Amino acid sequence: MKKVKKVSIKIVKKNNYFTRNNITYIDYKDTKLLSHFVNKQGQIIPKTFVRLPSKIQRMVAKNIKRARQMKLMPYIIVNQGEF
């Protein structure tokens, strides 16, 4: 009989923005943090591009929407010179 070699598998946790920077709480008043997850036009970036877990992406989106309602962040960003 042949011996079967066991292949070792490394389990790598996804390293997202919040774990890298030791951020545990997302607040709607922290617009500098939330602006990392909004593109130049003011749209919320999808989780596939930002590489966030679903739970954290929902929290980020909810807080961005709250900040927009409180007029802390703009809904859309219009560049007047670029059409």
Side-chain angles (χ1 to χ4, degrees):
M1 293 195 93
K2 289 185 178 179
K3 287 188 176 180
V4 179
K5 290 185 179 179
K6 288 187 178 181
V7 180
S8 62
I9 299 172
K10 287 185 179 180
I11 298 173
V12 179
K13 281 192 172 183
K14 288 187 179 179
N15 196 4
N16 62 46
Y17 183 83
F18 294 100
T19 55
R20 278 191 308 242
N21 297 316
N22 294 327
I23 299 169
T24 56
Y25 183 70
I26 305 168
D27 193 21
Y28 71 93
K29 292 174 268 185
D30 191 4
T31 56
K32 189 174 181 182
L33 171 69
L34 295 175
S35 65
H36 289 284
F37 306 101
V38 175
N39 66 9
K40 291 179 183 177
Q41 288 82 29
Q43 299 171 330
I44 299 172
I45 301 173
K47 71 172 190 159
T48 53
F49 295 114
V50 185
R51 298 187 182 198
L52 290 177
S54 298
K55 186 176 180 180
I56 295 176
Q57 176 70 18
R58 284 193 302 269
M59 290 168 57
V60 168
K62 185 189 286 185
N63 284 306
I64 289 172
K65 291 173 187 176
R66 279 187 185 155
R68 286 175 175 169
Q69 284 184 336
M70 301 292 285
K71 306 291 189 226
L72 299 174
M73 291 180 74
Y75 280 96
I76 56 171
I77 301 168
V78 179
N79 294 332
Q80 297 292 331
E82 299 175 17
F83 281 99

